[in-house]
Amino acid sequence: MVISLIKPEAALRGALLRYFVEIPVHTFAGKIDRRHADVLLEKVRGTRGKAAIITAKNNDSGFDIELINNNNCFVIDYDGLMLISAKRQHIKKSVISDIGKNSL
């Protein structure tokens, strides 16, 4: 199991450090039993920050991805291939370009 967090709460980070190894900052990896995994996953799902959970699964890719509190991205299962799709963000007109038009 791999859990990656953005802006984690200190209590959640401490709970994860009991069972996982922190590879780079806020990315935890390890193998734990199902009972402890369920408790930790509920804590991660209840966090205010963003999180990504990767768990082993018996499917074509061998894993499953779950994104928490990420409104811009979502997971798509495309014929067994796990893809991350990002919503397009509309770019507002720049204030500088509006000023430049008026000054000509």
Side-chain angles (χ1 to χ4, degrees):
M1 179 181 298
V2 176
I3 299 174
S4 179
L5 304 170
I6 297 175
K7 297 182 182 177
E9 301 160 356
L12 175 61
R13 188 168 178 255
L16 291 173
L17 283 172
R18 290 185 197 125
Y19 299 97
F20 295 102
V21 175
E22 188 172 16
I23 307 167
V25 178
H26 306 310
T27 301
F28 303 88
K31 183 176 180 180
I32 61 174
D33 61 44
R34 193 78 221 147
R35 183 174 51 117
H36 289 106
D38 290 339
V39 172
L40 288 174
L41 290 179
E42 286 306 313
K43 287 183 181 182
V44 172
R45 289 182 183 117
T47 187
R48 288 177 278 160
K50 293 181 181 181
I53 302 169
I54 302 171
T55 54
K57 191 170 184 179
N58 192 13
N59 59 10
D60 292 339
S61 59
F63 62 91
D64 189 29
I65 302 172
E66 181 181 355
L67 300 175
I68 309 294
N69 295 332
N70 197 334
N71 299 332
N72 297 331
C73 298
F74 51 95
V75 180
I76 298 174
D77 184 356
Y78 185 76
D79 289 335
L81 181 63
M82 303 300 287
L83 302 173
I84 305 293
S85 178
K87 292 181 184 177
R88 285 189 174 181
Q89 294 181 359
H90 297 287
I91 301 173
K92 295 180 182 180
K93 286 186 177 180
S94 171
V95 175
I96 296 173
S97 65
D98 290 342
I99 293 172
K101 290 178 184 176
N102 294 334
S103 64
L104 292 176

